[in-house]
Amino acid sequence: MTPLPLAVTTSTKTDVATVREARAVAARWNLPFLSRRSSEGIAPWLGTKVEALLVVGGDGVTLWEPQGSFGFHAGMAHLRRMRLRQGQRDDAFLKVAEIVPGDAVLDCTLGLAQDALVASLAVGPTGRVVCLEKSLPLCIVAAEGLQRYHRGADSCAIEVLHADAHAYLKTLPAKSFDVVFFDPMFAKPKKAQPAFDVLRRFAEHAPLTPEAVEEGRRVARRWVVVKGARHTDDLKKLGIEPAPTSRFRDVIWGRVLAEK
C-alpha cells in the first residue's frame, strides 16, 4: 500500500479532548486523521503507513518523519520581542524594514515564523502581518503554533496562508502592503539542531528570483526586504546592496524601494 503523504494523529495522551483537537486540526487542513492507541508507537507507521505525521498533543503540533521531528517554538523571536518591549530598537530586521505601528507586512517565506512574530509586535494591534508558506507540513506546524502562542494585546494576529509566494504576489493589487519580506532558505546550511534538519527537508529550496522581487516591489508601498547569508552573493545576484552590519552576524539584509 502506498503511504499517505501526510496525516494527523494524537500524542500518547489519547483522551477525548486531545482526540477532538487532533480531528479539528485534520479538518482545518483537509488531512486524514489516524486513530492511535495510548500505547501505540508511531515509528512503525513512518515510511509505511505515512510519509510524515502531524502529532497533536499538549505541546502543540509536531511534525514527525523517519529521520526526526520538528515543532513550533518562538525561540529567539521571544527574546527579540522582549527587547523591543523594553524599548531597544536595534533589531536588524526592523532597522532595515523600518516597520512602524499600523503597517501591513507580507512575509513571503514564513518558515520558523521568527521575523513574523517580531513584525506582529512592531506593527501593533492596528497593523497586519500576512505570512505565506509553500510547504504544507511547515505551514501547518507554524500556523497551529502561532495560534497557540500568547502574543499579547500589543501585537496583531498573524495570518498564515499555504501559498507559493510568487504566484500569490501576482494576485495582489499594487501597493497592498507597506513592506514585503523574503527570507529564502540558504543554499549552504549552517550547523544547527537536528530539528532544523527536518525543517530543511520539507522547506522550499528554490532560489529567490529577480521576478519575484519585482512582483514584491509592485505590491509594496515602501520596501522589499531580503535576508541573505554572509559570504555569498545571494543579494547581489538580485541587484540588492547589503546593508552595513556587524561582521560577527551570520546573515545580511538588503532592501529595494517599491515601484513608484
Side-chain angles (χ1 to χ4, degrees):
M1 183 177 68
T2 303
L4 294 168
L6 187 64
V8 178
T9 191
T10 59
S11 66
T12 52
K13 185 180 179 181
T14 55
D15 55 54
V16 173
T18 304
V19 172
R20 184 185 303 116
E21 185 179 6
R23 287 188 179 276
V25 170
R28 269 197 294 276
W29 299 97
N30 195 29
L31 291 172
F33 171 78
L34 301 180
S35 297
R36 179 182 179 187
R37 297 188 300 273
S38 59
S39 59
E40 187 174 14
I42 59 171
W45 293 7
L46 297 170
T48 55
K49 186 183 289 190
V50 292
E51 294 176 7
L53 198 58
L54 294 161
V55 178
V56 179
D59 56 351
V61 178
T62 304
L63 174 64
W64 284 83
E65 49 110 42
Q67 283 74 46
S69 64
F70 168 77
F72 174 84
H73 192 277
M76 285 300 297
H78 185 71
L79 298 179
R80 291 165 65 190
R81 285 165 59 89
M82 287 178 59
R83 290 171 61 86
L84 187 57
R85 285 184 170 125
Q86 293 166 358
Q88 300 184 48
R89 305 291 170 178
D90 58 349
D91 188 90
F93 169 52
L94 297 183
K95 286 174 67 175
V96 173
E98 295 184 4
I99 295 171
V100 297
D103 271 354
V105 177
L106 178 65
D107 182 346
C108 292
T109 44
L110 175 60
L112 294 166
Q114 299 288 289
D115 294 307
L117 279 168
V118 175
S120 75
L121 177 57
V123 304
T126 63
R128 187 183 181 207
V129 176
V130 178
C131 301
L132 312 177
E133 177 53 60
K134 186 174 181 179
S135 166
L136 180 60
L138 299 187
C139 182
I140 295 171
V141 170
E144 296 293 333
L146 289 169
Q147 184 174 312
R148 292 163 173 77
Y149 180 77
H150 299 294
R151 65 180 185 277
D154 55 358
S155 304
C156 74
I158 297 174
E159 305 167 47
V160 178
L161 301 174
H162 176 224
D164 173 77
H166 196 178
Y168 185 79
L169 284 166
K170 290 181 178 180
T171 70
L172 295 174
K175 311 299 179 187
S176 300
F177 288 85
D178 296 289
V179 176
V180 175
F181 171 57
F182 293 95
D183 178 12
M185 181 66 68
F186 296 162
K188 294 181 179 180
K190 300 178 292 181
K191 290 183 179 179
Q193 297 296 322
F196 192 77
D197 291 334
V198 177
L199 181 144
R200 281 192 65 87
R201 283 192 284 274
F202 284 89
E204 170 63 31
H205 290 274
L208 180 61
T209 65
E211 292 76 18
V213 174
E214 285 304 306
E215 281 295 330
R217 292 185 63 222
R218 182 187 64 81
V219 170
R221 290 190 278 264
R222 289 205 308 272
W223 308 108
V224 172
V225 175
V226 182
K227 182 190 289 187
R230 182 175 288 280
H231 306 307
T232 71
D233 57 356
D234 293 347
L235 296 189
K236 291 186 177 180
K237 283 180 180 178
L238 298 167
I240 301 173
E241 188 64 29
T245 188
S246 167
R247 62 188 179 90
F248 299 107
R249 293 186 180 272
D250 292 327
V251 300
I252 53 176
W253 301 81
R255 69 183 187 187
V256 290
L257 281 166
E259 283 186 356
K260 294 184 178 179

